[in-house]
Amino acid sequence: MAQAALTIDGLSVDFAGFKAVNGVTMTVDDGELRVLLGANGAGKTTLMDLISGKTKSTDGRVYLHDTDITNWEEHKIARAGIGRKFQIPSVFKELTVRRNLEVASCRKPGVFANLRFGFGAEAERNVDEVLELIGLTEEQDRIAAYLSHGQTQWLELGLLITQNPKIILLDEPTAGMTQAETHKTSEIVNNLKGRHTIIVVEHDMAFVREIAERITVLHLGQVLAEGNVEQIENNPKVREAYLGSKGIS
Amino acid sequence: MPMKRRIDWAIYAAFVVLVMFLPLVMDAFWLNRVAKYLVFGMLGTAVALSWGYAGILNLGQGLFFGAGAYMLAMSLKLASTTSLQQGSDKPVPDFMLWNAEPGAPTELCCINKASFLWLPFQSQWFGVAMGLILPVVLATILGTIVFRKRISGVFVSIITLALVLLVRLVVIDSQPVTNGFNGLTDLGWFNIAGLEFDPYIVPTYYLVAVSLSLVLVGARLLIDTRAGLILQAVRDDQNRARYLGFDVPAYQTFFFAVSAAIAGFAGMLYVIVSEFASPTFMDLTFSITMVVWAAVGGRSSILGACIGAILINTISATVSETEGFAEAWKAIIGLIFVLVVLYLPRGLAGLAHDFIDRLLARKPAASPQPLRVSDASSQLAE
């Protein structure tokens, strides 16, 4: 049996009486790709915020392997091994594509440890590989602000790949993408399967079908169902809550 | 782009050489003036480092400049001949005697309640050390509080602005120790191993010129380090940097403190070339003027901001002394600023960079780049 990479135990957050996430318990295995599904306001992004430390939980625990990381500071959680991609693509806009990845390749977090020049041959090779993987080799000397929306999304994925965390949280990685871009994104994500544990929040069912193994459905801050694509598509509770009577379109 | 980097360093070298050769063509009066402008250039660099690279618009840089200036001025005040002629065998600043209570002993330790603070400043090097330490400590405390609390953008500017005005008020109000709004005047000369730095001699100019060169190169090297790159990443997107595992406030605080140290250093040099320290260093207008220098020169260029400061000061000196412009020179400086902000948002340095880019782009254009076919989807994306 695979080991649990991330264990969430009764996690809740209370925003002045409104429980955006209410007693969520789930386990994600090492190397698994888990999709979080749910309508707007179901608590998907909030759950990611809680895992990555952006929002502090009011109840429950989060474990990364055996380490209790509940309510740590964001950069400490990141260093412990959780990387995150935001819904709105965020990259370092005034740096070149290559520079962006170099920043992410930096293994030492402190200021004084980084008072030195260059990143080392190994880091540069790694950056080259990631550039290849996200298809931005040709654009490596462009300033990130001039990239297209899709390219910016891939660059942010590249930052995560370079950072090389154990767990990758992806918040709507295909938002605003064309079909061709979505397809390429699923290729990149599929490429990461096995090497990283991945949790994806996504609405786009075509994309979900391309990548998903297991799906957890959230509804009003609670876990509604869990299973593979087929089970979820045929689950009457899920159909009722989200998909309408016609099923997944 | 190693070629571009080489050009960059060549421009730095050219600037340093130019500054070093100025004494050959200038008289003592102008040399002293230029030395002051070089000090302002150093301030421009300090602003560029915090504003352009760290994204922290400090509207109170004068606080650090003033702190550096006062620390050295206290030492130089005690080294002046008047301080030695107040009837004690140890130096006592003249202004302390003017306001001393009847019967107070003419001793630095106890002529008034706070005069003992001056005691260690009898050593000039204590003043020099404090001129760096005080700005760094102030900046570290301020930075730690502000950046840990994730205060950013205009709120940092407002806090720094309020702080410089507060300190200015305290300095003016503490007449017995600071001589209030008169500031510290009638100073002795800075002295290294017997060489006295009269502001109107060539060695004093070189003290400033060499200091500026070292600061320029040091700051440039600093932003070329990994930490400098990460700092720029923090400037562009704090959150992204945080979720990559970087301790964002530590980076901001560190570079804020470096910028403060440079400003403090500039303050000390200014005291050496101008022979006074005054609360006007902490006027709001002065701090804002520094920001204007950096904006005109180019806030994301260490050298650009420095040249901006020197250029504006030279122009304002020349214009203000030209008959007919004597009244209008401030309007002319203002006009230059407005034009730069409107048409050169990256300042003169941005203009220079575009020019270099165009020159470099012309050369490889001879061999056309192979058509990209490998990556259809990235073209779709465009």
Side-chain angles (χ1 to χ4, degrees):
Chain A
M1 178 170 165
Q3 277 203 315
L6 188 74
T7 310
I8 297 168
D9 183 17
L11 201 61
S12 303
V13 66
D14 194 327
F15 295 129
F18 170 65
K19 295 209 161 190
V21 167
N22 190 2
V24 169
T25 298
M26 64 188 264
T27 307
V28 182
D29 286 340
D30 221 359
E32 189 185 335
L33 192 152
R34 177 72 60 97
V35 174
L36 289 181
L37 215 55
N40 283 330
K44 305 174 306 270
T45 299
T46 309
L47 184 58
M48 290 219 159
D49 286 348
L50 291 171
I51 297 171
S52 63
K54 189 177 182 211
T55 307
K56 305 286 178 237
S57 64
T58 43
D59 198 17
R61 321 292 315 164
V62 181
Y63 299 92
L64 173 63
H65 294 292
D66 292 327
T67 317
D68 185 348
I69 57 165
T70 317
N71 295 348
W72 282 14
E73 277 182 85
E74 295 101 311
H75 71 274
K76 289 188 177 146
I77 292 180
R79 242 183 279 167
I82 294 185
R84 173 173 189 182
K85 192 193 162 305
F86 293 92
Q87 201 166 344
I88 299 160
S90 50
V91 297
F92 307 122
K93 282 196 161 39
E94 289 181 43
L95 304 180
T96 64
V97 170
R98 189 177 189 88
R99 287 298 206 173
N100 266 273
L101 294 175
E102 281 174 350
V103 169
S105 77
C106 201
R107 291 283 166 267
K108 291 174 184 147
V111 185
F112 295 101
N114 285 316
L115 288 178
R116 56 182 64 202
F117 303 103
F119 290 84
E122 198 187 326
E124 298 295 352
R125 254 199 314 280
N126 184 25
V127 167
D128 285 332
E129 280 170 27
V130 173
L131 281 168
E132 194 70 35
L133 183 66
I134 58 173
L136 293 179
T137 308
E138 303 270 329
E139 323 286 340
Q140 60 175 300
D141 289 326
R142 275 179 86 182
I143 301 290
Y146 302 136
L147 295 178
S148 72
H149 176 74
Q151 287 172 324
T152 312
Q153 297 269 31
W154 296 327
L155 176 57
E156 199 183 1
L157 275 174
L159 290 177
L160 282 176
I161 300 166
T162 317
Q163 182 194 1
N164 198 21
K166 295 184 192 104
I167 298 179
I168 295 182
L169 309 176
L170 302 176
D171 201 347
E172 297 197 25
T174 65
M177 281 191 171
T178 63
Q179 267 192 334
E181 288 172 332
T182 302
H183 180 66
K184 183 173 166 185
T185 306
S186 65
E187 276 180 2
I188 296 175
V189 172
N190 273 325
N191 207 310
L192 297 177
K193 262 191 207 171
R195 279 189 273 176
H196 303 270
T197 306
I198 307 171
I199 301 176
V200 190
V201 165
E202 191 51 74
H203 288 297
D204 186 335
M205 277 315 292
F207 178 71
V208 171
R209 283 200 198 91
E210 277 190 68
I211 60 162
E213 291 169 352
R214 271 183 95 70
I215 299 176
T216 297
V217 182
L218 291 179
H219 183 51
L220 303 177
Q222 290 175 312
V223 176
L224 185 71
E226 203 173 296
N228 61 30
V229 180
E230 204 181 323
Q231 285 168 333
I232 293 299
E233 282 181 333
N234 296 323
N235 184 317
K237 274 198 291 181
V238 176
R239 296 180 82 113
E240 196 184 332
Y242 298 104
L243 309 168
S245 49
K246 288 177 205 148
I248 298 173
S249 53
Chain B
M1 277 175 274
M3 184 62 191
K4 193 161 179 215
R5 207 188 174 85
R6 239 174 286 159
I7 293 175
D8 252 23
W9 279 110
I11 294 172
Y12 274 70
F15 175 80
V16 169
V17 169
L18 180 73
V19 167
M20 293 300 166
F21 275 97
L22 278 184
L24 298 181
V25 293
M26 277 187 181
D27 60 17
F29 173 75
W30 261 97
L31 217 49
N32 175 264
R33 261 193 167 180
V34 174
K36 283 179 194 166
Y37 301 161
L38 295 187
V39 171
F40 293 151
M42 197 184 280
L43 275 175
T45 295
V47 172
L49 193 63
S50 82
W51 186 23
Y53 285 91
I56 304 159
L57 176 54
N58 181 355
L59 288 183
Q61 198 77 27
L63 171 61
F64 304 131
F65 180 80
Y70 265 88
M71 290 301 104
L72 184 62
M74 283 165 80
S75 276
L76 296 186
K77 179 73 186 168
L78 292 179
S80 77
T81 41
T82 47
S83 295
L84 288 163
Q85 290 166 346
Q86 301 299 329
S88 163
D89 48 348
K90 293 274 176 59
V92 180
D94 47 9
F95 68 85
M96 286 191 185
L97 259 88
W98 302 337
N99 299 301
E101 291 195 19
T106 314
E107 289 290 340
L108 203 49
C109 65
C110 25
I111 187 165
N112 62 47
K113 274 182 206 141
S115 62
F116 69 91
L117 290 171
W118 280 66
L119 279 171
F121 287 92
Q122 292 176 69
S123 153
Q124 172 193 285
W125 295 109
F126 180 82
V128 171
M130 285 305 289
L132 290 175
I133 292 170
L134 186 62
V136 168
V137 168
L138 286 175
T140 307
I141 295 172
L142 180 65
T144 306
I145 296 170
V146 167
F147 302 132
R148 291 264 166 228
K149 284 224 168 279
R150 305 210 180 154
I151 298 167
S152 63
V154 69
F155 298 100
V156 179
S157 306
I158 292 170
I159 290 169
T160 51
L161 181 150
L163 201 65
V164 71
L165 292 180
L166 178 78
V167 172
R168 175 178 167 276
L169 209 64
V170 169
V171 167
I172 291 179
D173 217 41
S174 312
Q175 156 79 22
V177 255
T178 61
N179 200 19
F181 62 76
N182 296 313
L184 301 175
T185 52
D186 183 25
L187 306 180
W189 285 333
F190 189 63
N191 183 320
I192 298 178
L195 174 59
E196 292 195 312
F197 285 91
D198 175 336
Y200 291 92
I201 60 172
V202 175
T204 306
Y205 175 83
Y206 275 116
L207 177 72
V208 175
V210 170
S211 299
L212 175 64
S213 306
L214 291 177
V215 164
L216 281 175
V217 172
R220 179 58 210 258
L221 286 175
L222 192 61
I223 56 158
D224 270 353
T225 62
R226 277 192 237 161
L229 181 63
I230 294 163
L231 177 77
Q232 295 171 59
V234 166
R235 170 200 64 199
D236 286 359
D237 198 320
Q238 276 193 31
N239 258 329
R240 183 67 272 171
R242 197 169 273 132
Y243 287 99
L244 286 177
F246 297 112
D247 187 4
V248 167
Y251 282 85
Q252 293 172 313
T253 306
F254 175 75
F255 283 90
F256 191 56
V258 171
S259 167
I262 295 175
F265 189 28
M268 289 196 279
L269 292 172
Y270 194 75
V271 164
I272 293 172
V273 293
S274 69
E275 294 180 282
F276 75 99
S278 130
T280 54
F281 295 173
M282 286 175 274
D283 278 355
L284 188 54
T285 43
F286 187 48
S287 288
I288 288 177
T289 307
M290 295 177 208
V291 171
V292 172
W293 297 337
V296 169
R299 64 176 157 135
S300 39
S301 165
I302 296 290
L303 181 61
C306 170
I307 291 177
I310 297 169
L311 218 56
I312 290 189
N313 279 289
T314 312
I315 293 173
S316 54
T318 319
V319 174
S320 68
E321 283 158 24
T322 309
E323 224 168 328
F325 286 134
E327 300 293 322
W329 70 275
K330 278 200 170 168
I332 291 170
I333 295 294
L335 190 67
I336 292 175
F337 179 58
V338 171
L339 288 176
V340 166
V341 169
L342 282 179
Y343 296 105
L344 297 172
R346 290 183 301 139
L348 298 174
L351 195 68
H353 273 280
D354 290 346
F355 182 69
I356 293 168
D357 281 344
R358 211 163 298 165
L359 279 185
L360 286 178
R362 198 172 293 172
K363 267 188 251 165
S367 58
Q369 298 227 323
L371 205 65
R372 276 184 284 143
V373 283
S374 57
D375 195 353
S377 47
S378 88
Q379 282 172 346
L380 265 176
E382 277 164 2

